[in-house]
Amino acid sequence: MPHEYIANSLGGVQGGVVATLADRAAEVVAGALLDGPARVVDLQVTYLALCKAGPIVARAQATGQGADRVALHVDITDEGVPRLAAKVRASAVRVAP
């Protein structure tokens, strides 16, 4: 059960929290691939199920890479069930340190 501050009216984690988790996972992977800090510039979230049991896990994987940008897919899973809760497509770019 999520903490009351991040729970929605259905008892699951708010969608914005799920999106933020995906955003951060994408930035970490993009930054590692681009050898420097990266920021997500586009994020498309498809919600599939509520995250209720936890822990919630984000797994990001690059699907394409250029000199200063990376395309990624992120899967958000509710490991307590376990089930896929969201699929995310993201684009990230390298930023100056």
Side-chain angles (χ1 to χ4, degrees):
M1 187 79 175
H3 191 281
E4 66 181 280
Y5 294 116
I6 62 169
N8 62 24
S9 61
L10 300 173
V13 174
Q14 293 178 17
V17 174
V18 173
T20 300
L21 178 62
D23 182 271
R24 188 64 190 131
E27 285 182 351
V28 169
V29 171
L33 292 171
L34 296 172
D35 295 321
R39 294 295 174 256
V40 169
V41 294
D42 183 42
L43 190 75
Q44 299 172 356
V45 182
T46 301
Y47 296 97
L48 304 171
L50 290 173
C51 293
K52 288 186 171 186
I56 303 167
V57 177
R59 291 181 180 86
Q61 180 177 352
T63 58
Q65 182 177 350
D68 65 347
R69 62 187 54 239
V70 179
L72 306 108
H73 280 160
V74 183
D75 287 341
I76 305 292
T77 56
D78 185 343
E79 295 291 313
V81 178
R83 70 174 159 219
L84 183 62
K87 293 201 64 77
V88 181
R89 288 183 296 175
S91 298
V93 297
R94 188 172 196 278
V95 296

